[in-house]
Amino acid sequence: MKITFCGAAGTTTGSKHLIEVNNTRILLDCGLYQGKRSESLERNSQFPFDPEKIDCVVLSHAHIDHSGNLPHLSKRGFTGNIYATPATRDLCSIMLPDAAKIHEHDIAWLNKHRKRDDLPELEPSYSMVDAEKCMRQFVTVSYDRGMFIADGVRLTFIDAGHVLGSAQVILDIHDHVDNKQKRLLFSGDIGRPGNDLLNDPAPSDRIDYVIMESTYGGRKHELATDSSDHLCKIVREIQQRRSRLIIPAFAVERTQQLLYTLDKLRHENCFGPVATFVDSPLAVKATEIFRLHVDDLRTAAAQALFMRDDPFGFDGLRLIRSVDESKGLNKVKGPAIIISASGMAESGRILHHLRQNVGNPDNILLFVGYCAENTLGWKLRSGFKHVNILGDEFDVRAEIETLDSFSGHADHDEMLGWFDRVQGNKSRVFLVHGEPDRSNVLCDALNEKHSAGHVEVAKLMQSVDL
């Protein structure tokens, strides 16, 4: 068996890991690389393998940095099955066409500037039609239901607790070369224990090899109670100032978690009524999918949907769908909360809200999740005083706040706790999906904890025979 780390090695985006065993090529995830525009276009337009020779894809979850290049893979000749949980499949049915629409829009914008500079036009890697065709290749597999996906390879998904439908991937492999049984665990993205909406990441056993994310190595998130107090204080502040709270948030899971938390705090009389807007057609659709998969939610969250007034539809909440409604938010007087995608502030309607609000010192910009290096969100979180938004420069005068407790990723201590619940010899552990300094800190901690095995940080295009 051979593993090649084709993406999300030395960085947090573009997850792709190739497993070759028994004359079969299995791709774990096929995500988009997100970062500098030129580098992203280059990385996402090429594959370090022949798509036609990939036999199947196993998808850990629906986030675009894990799923977003599937339409391009299919367009380039991949015809096999894409295995995913039912909720992941349903989320991809809205997220992949949305990603294609954004990609086509970005290419059109770039071509306008390239034409001005007498440069040749670029072609989109894939279209919305490609995204819709790709959905026909999905095969759903529920949690804890094993399925043979190749000669001598049995797939089992277990809950990762990261986003609705997210999975840890277990491959039970009978390697015909050495006639040995091998059990590989791919963590996907590890969720946080105690999430309001989702179940805790499931434990696993008899694991020989681990591919593990490392996004928050060396970092510790705020406690949930501290986070609630912080959010209350922020909302009260914008009420007092009669200003705006702008929250860039991923349309899937982060937006729903924010709504659930705001509704809970509202019931606890933390703050008075405040106009709240979700300006993301994708988030509105995703919220409906959460309702469809209520069995995947934590018991308390599922009960809230039926026994309390709807946490995804409380008084004062308005779900924005049309462009005209979105533009109309510019005229809304404060106080107001605007939640909009994308979470890294790289595309979507959030860019227009940032243009309108980043220069006002009374406004607050709240970041509630990870932003990859060089994204606009990362620059704002990092304290840049001047940023480029849709081609224009803006002074950053708005107050910047962060609440990493809303992150869907486990922090350093939580990843160590997750590792303890992975039972087996774990003879080789490969860290992926992390910036180098984060991965190295986690690697040192794991090697100290796990002296019986070997932990290393995977390198891009590194191949390992196991």
Side-chain angles (χ1 to χ4, degrees):
M1 175 175 70
K2 182 166 79 171
I3 303 174
T4 304
F5 302 101
C6 302
T11 185
T12 56
T13 65
S15 180
K16 296 181 198 71
H17 311 296
L18 181 62
I19 311 294
E20 297 174 86
V21 63
N22 301 340
N23 296 314
T24 301
R25 294 162 66 86
I26 302 168
L27 188 62
L28 303 179
D29 287 348
C30 188
L32 282 179
Y33 178 83
Q34 296 165 300
K36 290 182 178 178
R37 189 185 298 270
S38 58
E39 185 179 6
S40 297
L41 286 171
E42 183 179 350
R43 285 205 191 194
N44 292 326
S45 65
Q46 302 295 328
F47 291 105
F49 45 74
D50 184 350
E52 292 185 2
K53 293 182 179 178
I54 299 297
D55 293 287
C56 65
V57 174
V58 179
L59 181 59
S60 66
H61 64 285
H63 279 154
I64 291 301
D65 60 326
H66 293 256
S67 71
N69 224 8
L70 285 169
H72 186 207
L73 188 77
S74 296
K75 180 181 178 180
R76 292 278 299 275
F78 166 66
T79 59
N81 291 335
I82 301 168
Y83 296 99
T85 66
T88 293
R89 187 266 170 208
D90 287 350
L91 289 172
C92 282
S93 73
I94 60 172
M95 294 177 73
L96 293 181
D98 184 75
K101 181 180 179 181
I102 291 170
H103 176 55
E104 289 180 301
H105 182 271
D106 283 349
I107 293 296
W109 183 86
L110 279 172
N111 281 339
K112 187 185 298 183
H113 288 263
R114 291 174 70 86
K115 184 177 181 180
R116 183 186 63 193
D117 297 332
D118 292 325
L119 294 171
E121 289 193 354
L122 300 171
E123 288 290 328
S125 298
Y126 58 88
S127 66
M128 291 180 67
V129 172
D130 296 320
E132 289 161 2
K133 285 182 179 179
C134 156
M135 291 307 306
R136 302 172 195 171
Q137 295 173 244
F138 274 69
V139 174
T140 59
V141 185
S142 297
Y143 292 133
D144 305 309
R145 304 284 291 181
M147 173 184 284
F148 280 96
I149 61 171
D151 182 18
V153 182
R154 186 172 186 263
L155 162 69
T156 306
F157 287 131
I158 61 174
D159 202 336
H162 170 67
V163 67
L164 186 73
S166 62
Q168 304 170 60
V169 176
I170 296 176
L171 297 181
D172 285 296
I173 297 166
H174 178 203
D175 193 332
H176 297 335
V177 172
D178 56 15
N179 200 33
K180 289 184 178 180
Q181 296 294 134
K182 302 170 183 178
R183 197 167 218 223
L184 170 72
L185 172 66
F186 170 43
S187 73
D189 285 354
I190 304 165
R192 302 194 64 198
N195 183 297
D196 281 336
L197 290 179
L198 306 175
N199 294 309
D200 291 356
S204 54
D205 59 8
R206 298 179 288 111
I207 301 300
D208 299 306
Y209 309 112
V210 183
I211 302 173
M212 178 182 177
E213 73 124 316
S214 55
T215 310
Y216 278 104
R219 288 277 299 276
K220 188 169 176 62
H221 297 323
E222 287 179 287
L223 296 174
T225 52
D226 294 339
S227 172
S228 294
D229 291 344
H230 194 174
L231 183 57
C232 272
K233 181 181 176 183
I234 290 171
V235 175
R236 287 173 181 163
E237 190 66 34
I238 62 122
Q239 287 181 315
Q240 183 178 345
R241 299 178 189 177
R242 302 197 61 78
S243 61
R244 295 181 175 203
L245 172 59
I246 308 297
I247 309 178
F250 295 113
V252 177
E253 201 273 328
R254 200 62 43 80
T255 292
Q256 291 75 32
Q257 189 178 2
L258 274 167
L259 293 178
Y260 186 89
T261 302
L262 288 169
D263 181 57
K264 185 170 67 172
L265 295 176
R266 188 176 62 92
H267 275 83
E268 294 170 356
N269 296 315
C270 252
F271 45 77
V274 56
T276 304
F277 303 91
V278 174
D279 187 16
S280 166
L282 183 63
V284 174
K285 293 176 184 176
T287 302
E288 295 306 315
I289 291 174
F290 269 70
R291 290 194 177 97
L292 286 174
H293 293 277
V294 68
D295 289 345
D296 285 350
L297 300 181
R298 188 178 286 274
T299 301
Q303 290 175 344
L305 281 169
F306 295 109
M307 299 175 66
R308 196 174 80 195
D309 58 321
D310 185 359
F312 300 145
F314 54 80
D315 290 343
L317 173 65
R318 185 174 159 198
L319 306 179
I320 304 298
R321 292 174 172 84
S322 73
V323 173
D324 286 342
E325 286 180 299
S326 178
K327 290 178 179 178
L329 294 183
N330 293 331
K331 300 175 183 177
V332 170
K333 304 281 187 189
I337 300 172
I338 299 175
I339 304 168
S340 187
S342 71
M344 296 189 192
E346 276 297 279
S347 58
R349 293 182 180 179
I350 188 61
L351 294 175
H352 298 279
H353 294 301
L354 290 173
R355 282 176 65 99
Q356 292 291 326
N357 294 282
V358 73
N360 187 337
D362 288 334
N363 292 334
I364 299 176
L365 308 184
L366 174 61
F367 288 90
V368 293
Y370 182 80
C371 292
E373 192 171 356
N374 294 313
T375 60
L376 176 59
W378 174 83
K379 291 175 182 177
L380 289 167
R381 281 188 59 136
S382 300
F384 280 50
K385 298 302 182 186
H386 311 281
V387 293
N388 185 293
I389 306 175
L390 294 174
D392 295 320
E393 289 291 328
F394 291 85
D395 294 332
V396 180
R397 296 192 179 96
E399 185 178 337
I400 308 296
E401 294 276 359
T402 60
L403 277 177
D404 283 334
S405 63
F406 279 98
S407 173
H409 288 270
D411 68 13
H412 182 87
D413 290 345
E414 291 162 347
M415 284 189 285
L416 294 180
W418 174 87
F419 189 81
D420 286 340
R421 294 188 294 277
V422 176
Q423 300 298 305
N425 61 59
K426 297 177 284 192
S427 60
R428 298 287 298 275
V429 179
F430 303 96
L431 299 185
V432 297
H433 204 287
E435 302 298 340
D437 55 341
R438 300 292 168 205
S439 300
N440 288 331
V441 171
L442 184 63
C443 183
D444 291 342
L446 287 173
N447 271 317
E448 184 176 345
K449 171 188 281 284
H450 184 51
S451 57
H454 177 66
V455 183
E456 63 184 276
V457 178
K459 296 179 175 60
L460 187 64
M461 296 313 300
Q462 174 187 4
S463 291
V464 181
D465 291 306
L466 299 172

